[in-house]
Amino acid sequence: MRRTAGQPTVITDAEPSPGDQLRGRQRRYVLMMSIRGVCLIVGAVLVTSEAPLLWLWLPICAVGMILVPWLAVLLANDRPPKDRHRMRDQRHQPASRSGPAQVGAVPTTPSPVRVIDVEP
């Protein structure tokens, strides 16, 4: 990601904004569809010029014209991956101490806490 002069430096684990994610998917889609266009043009030039090894190059161009648009649409509609530890944090919530223990409740242990020391 390119930083401009007005953007702050991100030092957290925050996900990119939905707008940034959309722009990234749009760029990837345009790039992949450009590859498809190049395959189409190369295939047309090869056929008209009767190039040597035409039997090899035309299937490669055909795969590029068929497979690349399909992948472009799949990747453009893809969402970012889920946070790997999101469910773990919900499972390890400490039990409330205000009331009696529930019958059949499974005791949970809190996850270890990481301490980051600034001083040596």
Side-chain angles (χ1 to χ4, degrees):
M1 177 191 295
R2 188 184 307 174
R3 252 184 86 216
T4 60
Q7 288 183 333
T9 303
V10 178
I11 59 171
T12 65
D13 290 339
E15 294 181 7
S17 71
D20 289 342
Q21 291 175 7
L22 178 64
R23 275 189 295 280
R25 290 194 315 261
Q26 287 172 340
R27 287 182 186 139
R28 186 175 27 198
Y29 180 80
V30 168
L31 175 70
M32 292 179 82
M33 293 308 278
S34 300
I35 292 170
R36 177 195 184 213
V38 168
C39 287
L40 179 66
I41 293 170
V42 168
V45 168
L46 287 174
V47 167
T48 58
S49 67
E50 298 176 7
L53 297 175
L54 189 62
W55 58 271
L56 175 68
W57 295 112
L58 279 183
I60 291 173
C61 289
V63 166
M65 289 185 290
I66 295 169
L67 187 63
V68 170
W70 177 69
L71 288 173
V73 170
L74 285 180
L75 292 175
N77 291 326
D78 193 18
R79 61 164 180 76
K82 288 185 178 179
D83 187 16
R84 187 173 144 195
H85 303 291
R86 184 173 59 177
M87 294 304 292
R88 184 186 73 178
D89 293 339
Q90 291 176 358
R91 277 194 318 243
H92 294 303
Q93 293 294 328
S96 65
R97 298 178 190 254
S98 61
Q102 296 177 355
V103 176
V106 178
T108 60
T109 58
S111 60
V113 177
R114 288 181 29 191
V115 177
I116 299 174
D117 236 351
V118 177
E119 299 175 9

